[in-house]
Amino acid sequence: MSLLVQKYGGTSVGSVERIESVADKVASFRAQGHDLVIVLSAMSGETNRLIGLATQIQATPDPRELDVLVSTGEQVTIALLCMALKKRGIDARSYTGGQVRILTDSAFNKARIQAIDEVNMRADLQAGRVVVVAGFQGVDENGNITTLGRGGSDTTGVALAAALKADECQIYTDVDGVYTTDPRVVACARRLEKITFEEMLEMASLGSKVLQIRSVEFAGKYNVPLRVLSSFKDGPGTLITLDEEDSTMEQPIVSGIAFNRDEAKVTVAGVPDVPGVASKILAPIGAANIEIDVIVQNVSADNTTDLTFTVQKNDMSKAVAVLESVAKEIGAREVRSDDKIAKVSIVGVGMRSHAGVASRMFTALAADGINIQMITTSEIKISVIIDERYLELAVRSLHTAFGLDAEPTESRVRG
Ligand code: ASP
Ligand code: MG
């Protein structure tokens, strides 16, 4: 028997029928003897609907009142689930964030959890009850309702699991796990049995939006085993853990291929190659609140250099405007930009202990005639910037080159 924290997302509780099926699922876990703390999202679409109401009145809604408003979505689902559980003869009790006492700071709309009082939850579990908690919300020290940012129920789940030292935090959602890459791009993408927190963070920040990133950081920090599973289809899902070693199987070098179509590239060409120019170029970009991702600098023969970096697509014209004036000031030749690019990354903790990973990546891309425009690496990731037309081809080639393709099924083999 174990203590499980299970979080069910918006689509899993999107209607009365779906709430009834969550109750059936909870009942079956209860029948197996597990202690359960359930965290719920609002019904799918509800948080957006509430924000829509607010913006009809105030273009930028008052932050405190917005939290009072949007936290109601989760209050609806927790009450309904408890009713559905009681109907099944299971004792259950719902709590809002403030009732548990999930204490947060006072940063409305993006509050951070500071402490969790687990006394009430423990007493209920002891008494054989299922505890049902509203995700996404907390309370500050003055009793104001706060919320944790969009997708914040994942973080509530992980935080409760950490506070209760639960055996596992299970996130039930509409996909059955974390995949080696987006199955819409690579049909033979595979569900991963296991992935490390570090890899998941690299995959998530690169666009595999299965979990709120903050919840993964939180789980990593407190070493909470986190599992992503489908609410609709039985299966083991994907376990996200700290362990890289306890696998009995050979560690794959690359665990997944992530990609991002959302970046654009800007170049300041013919920059005098003297100390301080890079900061002269990048400081005003930072001051304009534009985030930079990949940076490359090249020296040419005539003592000038080209500095190229990527920004979010929708920041590109702002970046170009800033750079045009910087270029004049420092005597650079020209500013160029290109938003027809994409970033492809291979991610894997196995890279730490293997040589030749980059060359294998570049060889695979070259074999398909794909030109690499920029390269950046970290200990567990290699990213390249390429022409966006070749994105899907690149992802497929790399998926094959690093042995990630699913085994062909019987029927595929027979054709
Ligand atoms: N209901 C909130 C949202 O839609 C929190 C969540 O579902 O995680 O962002
Ligand atoms: Mg979510």
Side-chain angles (χ1 to χ4, degrees):
M1 188 177 103
S2 41
L3 170 57
L4 302 176
V5 174
Q6 300 185 326
K7 181 257 170 177
Y8 292 87
T11 39
S12 312
V13 293
S15 64
V16 164
E17 292 71 32
R18 292 209 165 152
I19 289 174
E20 297 264 20
S21 16
V22 170
D24 286 336
K25 231 180 152 74
V26 171
S28 72
F29 279 99
R30 195 73 198 109
Q32 290 164 35
H34 298 298
D35 282 337
L36 296 164
V37 173
I38 310 296
V39 174
L40 298 183
S41 283
M43 290 182 169
S44 51
E46 176 64 4
T47 308
N48 287 339
R49 187 185 74 85
L50 293 168
I51 294 172
L53 293 177
T55 52
Q56 285 177 47
I57 292 179
Q58 271 190 310
T60 308
D62 178 85
R64 181 187 184 278
E65 301 314 322
L66 186 62
D67 279 352
V68 174
L69 177 70
V70 295
S71 60
T72 60
E74 276 74 10
Q75 194 168 332
V76 170
T77 50
I78 55 171
L80 292 174
L81 180 65
C82 283
M83 292 173 197
L85 288 170
K86 288 183 185 190
K87 188 167 87 178
R88 286 161 178 76
I90 294 169
D91 197 6
R93 201 172 265 182
S94 69
Y95 292 97
T96 63
Q99 287 175 318
V100 172
R101 205 142 190 270
I102 298 178
L103 182 71
T104 71
D105 61 21
S106 304
F108 296 114
N109 315 160
K110 49 174 191 301
R112 292 198 163 249
I113 297 175
Q114 291 178 332
I116 290 176
D117 182 353
E118 66 328 328
V119 173
N120 287 336
M121 292 189 289
R122 287 244 187 255
D124 282 327
L125 293 172
Q126 205 72 54
R129 289 186 196 108
V130 173
V131 175
V132 181
V133 177
F136 176 54
Q137 55 180 265
V139 66
D140 75 2
E141 56 180 3
N142 300 313
N144 297 300
I145 295 173
T146 56
T147 65
L148 309 177
R150 297 307 304 269
S153 300
D154 294 340
T155 299
T156 305
V158 172
L160 292 182
L164 291 162
K165 300 188 177 56
D167 295 286
E168 201 167 277
C169 178
Q170 304 180 330
I171 307 281
Y172 285 89
T173 178
D174 46 10
V175 294
D176 67 348
V178 179
Y179 275 69
T180 48
T181 194
D182 186 339
R184 285 168 302 188
V185 171
V186 179
C188 55
R190 271 189 296 116
R191 180 181 52 79
L192 292 160
E193 289 294 327
K194 236 169 123 167
I195 184 170
T196 67
F197 293 118
E198 264 181 302
E199 290 171 321
M200 187 62 198
L201 287 173
E202 294 284 11
M203 300 278 281
S205 62
L206 293 164
S208 321
K209 300 196 181 71
V210 190
L211 284 170
Q212 195 197 34
I213 293 182
R214 246 174 86 191
S215 73
V216 181
E217 286 166 0
F218 207 111
K221 189 164 161 199
Y222 294 97
N223 197 8
V224 176
L226 188 59
R227 192 182 289 278
V228 175
L229 331 88
S230 164
S231 300
F232 306 109
K233 192 174 126 192
D234 287 339
T238 299
L239 181 65
I240 310 167
T241 59
L242 215 50
D243 296 331
E244 301 172 21
E245 312 296 348
D246 78 335
S247 163
T248 47
M249 284 183 298
E250 175 80 23
Q251 183 86 43
I253 300 171
V254 167
S255 300
I257 318 282
F259 56 87
N260 184 351
R261 305 174 205 262
D262 209 37
E263 290 185 26
K265 177 176 88 165
V266 287
T267 300
V268 188
V271 178
D273 193 16
V274 292
V277 285
S279 80
K280 278 208 179 100
I281 292 172
L282 297 179
I285 292 288
N289 230 333
I290 299 171
E291 268 181 53
I292 296 171
D293 185 24
V294 185
I295 309 178
V296 167
Q297 181 187 314
N298 273 318
V299 184
S300 66
D302 59 354
N303 284 326
T304 66
T305 175
D306 290 353
L307 190 80
T308 304
F309 55 91
T310 64
V311 297
Q312 293 277 303
K313 266 198 173 112
N314 54 18
D315 279 337
M316 186 180 82
S317 40
K318 195 160 119 194
V320 170
V322 170
L323 293 173
E324 295 282 6
S325 77
V326 176
K328 273 205 198 86
E329 199 181 302
I330 60 174
R333 195 173 60 243
E334 61 170 342
V335 176
R336 292 193 298 264
S337 60
D338 180 1
D339 65 356
K340 303 269 180 293
I341 58 155
K343 183 165 84 170
V344 184
S345 308
I346 58 176
V347 176
V349 289
M351 274 183 217
R352 284 198 180 115
S353 49
H354 284 84
V357 183
S359 76
R360 190 151 142 202
M361 178 184 198
F362 304 155
T363 305
L365 295 172
D368 282 319
I370 300 171
N371 189 39
I372 299 169
Q373 304 179 6
M374 301 168 83
I375 302 166
T376 177
T377 67
S378 78
E379 225 190 338
I380 64 162
K381 179 184 75 172
I382 304 171
S383 305
V384 296
I385 300 291
I386 58 171
D387 186 325
E388 71 172 8
R389 274 180 300 176
Y390 300 118
L391 174 63
E392 304 210 343
L393 177 61
V395 174
R396 278 197 290 271
S397 308
L398 294 172
H399 201 266
T400 306
F402 286 97
L404 297 177
D405 293 353
E407 298 284 318
T409 61
E410 286 278 304
S411 63
R412 270 196 216 142
V413 171
R414 285 195 202 109

